[in-house]
Amino acid sequence: MKSGKSIYFTSILSAALILCAAIYTLFIYKADYLKIFVVYYKPAPLIKTEIFEPIQAGRTIAGTPSRQGTFTKEEISWLSENMIGDNTGQNISGLNRSFAEITALYWIWKNTDSPFVGMFQYRRFLSLNNNAHYPYVNFPSMRFRHLGLKHLDSFAKQFLHDLELEKKYILPWFATHDILVSEPIKLNTYEQYKNEHIIADLDAALNIIKQKYPEMYDFAIKNLHSEEGFYPSNLFITRREILNQYADWLFSILLPLHEKLKDEIAIRDTEQKLAFAYLSERLFTIYFRYQQNHNRLRIKEFPFALASNFFEPPAEQPFIILKTPQWQDVFIDQKENRICSFNNSHKNCGKFVFLPENRLHIKWDDGETSIFRHSLNNEFELEN
């Protein structure tokens, strides 16, 4: 039989454990335990929930011309009224025309403290659910899930649920991983940068790495010249301490490089002014893959989801998958019975009609024709 003293201490211990569990639960589920900032440049359907916080990048210079054009007073007012800006506290908002969403990243780093933190863009998200019903669009070097803009109109929360972008789905990943990122664009990163941007910028960034972080230099060179590619769009969710370490590293490279190149950047065209945004994607990849290889950082890759008006699916049939022995593609019903694709040899578009017995006849813009037979749900297989 237990003594009164033993029962007393057992009761105290049980009460303490219950209290700790309650405090932990409250801490986990408090509103700012996980905060994912959604970066905006212009008015668009507003994504704002308990965990999603919209932020305007470049608010300091919102009235000046950008790649998106010059915004009206009404547009600027809408942005100011509906979200926070990156121009308070410690900030580099004025560098937005060269840094794009990275000015928001700097603000998040310097001015917030959520234990778990992420950054998306207003049309780009991670798709945590591999069974999401939104179609894949496949390119040779990458894939993404396509969301028509209708999924954002009036902010349809359903797509966040479908992509498992809710706290109950996100937080459990951190039991086994340290950072969630988008799947890479798989190609030779260095050669791709040379073809599309100004390679001297990337070489200059590498030279800073060589000077400041010599232990990372050889890895950076090898990674850039491999076919592993890079993580696009600076999409991530991670722990606060990991973000802080990364941001400290990143801006120790980008800010000195900007100081060196700012006069040259000022006279470039609009696209190449964005050098530091493009560099940041490559540096993001170098840093986290280095940490993965040398410090056992646990990375989980997910497809990203893109909300776009590139094509707009009809309400009654969101998408059609056409399958052939050579390719499988996503086709979307367009006006005037036209459908368009990304992957096949017929250069994107053609005219279609439905035939008896659920057959689909397509006359491609190059003059060729194809007939598909319905096989399952929204799938059609090539007949001839």
Side-chain angles (χ1 to χ4, degrees), residues 147-166:
L147 289 68
L149 287 184
K150 71 174 187 176
H151 297 294
L152 298 183
D153 288 345
S154 302
F155 181 48
K157 293 184 181 180
Q158 183 62 39
F159 87 87
L160 291 180
H161 176 77
D162 292 339
L163 299 180
E164 295 191 350
L165 294 176
E166 297 172 341

Side-chain angles (χ1 to χ4, degrees), residues 79-96:
L79 290 163
S80 296
E81 292 170 1
N82 285 282
M83 63 192 67
I84 59 176
D86 66 351
N87 62 334
T88 61
Q90 297 184 62
N91 72 85
I92 56 170
S93 182
L95 300 182
N96 180 260

Side-chain angles (χ1 to χ4, degrees), residues 220-263:
I221 294 295
K222 182 179 179 180
N223 184 260
L224 288 171
H225 286 277
S226 75
E227 298 297 322
E228 294 180 1
F230 65 94
Y231 298 127
S233 301
N234 295 296
L235 309 177
F236 69 88
I237 309 172
T238 192
R239 294 187 177 88
R240 168 63 56 175
E241 63 271 18
I242 293 174
L243 169 66
N244 288 348
Q245 292 163 7
Y246 164 62
D248 185 68
W249 178 87
L250 176 69
F251 289 105
S252 76
I253 297 168
L254 291 186
L255 292 177
L257 184 58
H258 178 267
E259 187 64 26
K260 178 181 177 181
L261 298 180
K262 63 182 180 182
D263 292 336

Side-chain angles (χ1 to χ4, degrees), residues 125-138 143-152 155-165 303-308 311-313 317-321 328 330 332 378:
F125 316 86
L126 295 181
S127 175
L128 273 56
N129 179 8
N130 285 330
N131 297 313
H133 67 265
Y134 303 107
Y136 276 125
V137 175
N138 292 291
R143 65 175 180 166
F144 61 87
R145 291 194 183 278
H146 183 267
L147 289 68
L149 287 184
K150 71 174 187 176
H151 297 294
L152 298 183
F155 181 48
K157 293 184 181 180
Q158 183 62 39
F159 87 87
L160 291 180
H161 176 77
D162 292 339
L163 299 180
E164 295 191 350
L165 294 176
F304 76 83
L306 173 68
S308 168
F311 45 67
E312 193 62 37
Q317 191 173 52
F319 61 97
I320 302 171
I321 296 177
Q328 174 176 318
V330 178
I332 303 298
N378 60 331

Side-chain angles (χ1 to χ4, degrees), residues 13-108:
L13 179 60
S14 297
L17 289 173
I18 292 171
L19 179 61
C20 288
I23 292 172
Y24 177 77
T25 301
L26 288 172
F27 183 64
I28 285 288
Y29 286 98
K30 71 175 185 173
D32 61 351
Y33 187 75
L34 166 65
K35 190 65 70 174
I36 301 173
F37 294 86
V38 185
V39 181
Y40 284 74
Y41 312 97
K42 62 179 182 178
L46 189 65
I47 300 168
K48 188 171 187 176
T49 70
E50 176 193 17
I51 66 171
F52 283 93
E53 183 71 49
I55 179 171
Q56 181 187 359
R59 178 167 287 182
T60 294
I61 53 174
T64 64
S66 71
R67 186 170 59 166
Q68 303 289 343
T70 302
F71 301 127
T72 66
K73 290 181 179 180
E74 290 75 19
E75 289 172 324
I76 293 172
S77 177
W78 185 89
L79 290 163
S80 296
E81 292 170 1
N82 285 282
M83 63 192 67
I84 59 176
D86 66 351
N87 62 334
T88 61
Q90 297 184 62
N91 72 85
I92 56 170
S93 182
L95 300 182
N96 180 260
R97 297 296 179 260
S98 295
F99 281 66
E101 70 273 8
I102 301 304
T103 63
L105 177 64
Y106 186 94
W107 187 91
I108 295 164

Side-chain angles (χ1 to χ4, degrees), residues 31 47 49 51 65 69-70 91 96 110 128 181 193 200 210 218 222 234 274 284 289 291 301-302 323-324:
I47 300 168
T49 70
I51 66 171
T70 302
N91 72 85
N96 180 260
K110 291 293 189 179
L128 273 56
V181 301
Y193 202 94
K210 187 175 184 179
D218 288 343
K222 182 179 179 180
N234 295 296
L274 288 167
F284 180 99
R289 285 194 177 145
Q291 298 300 329
E301 298 174 358
F302 293 97
K323 304 174 75 171
T324 79

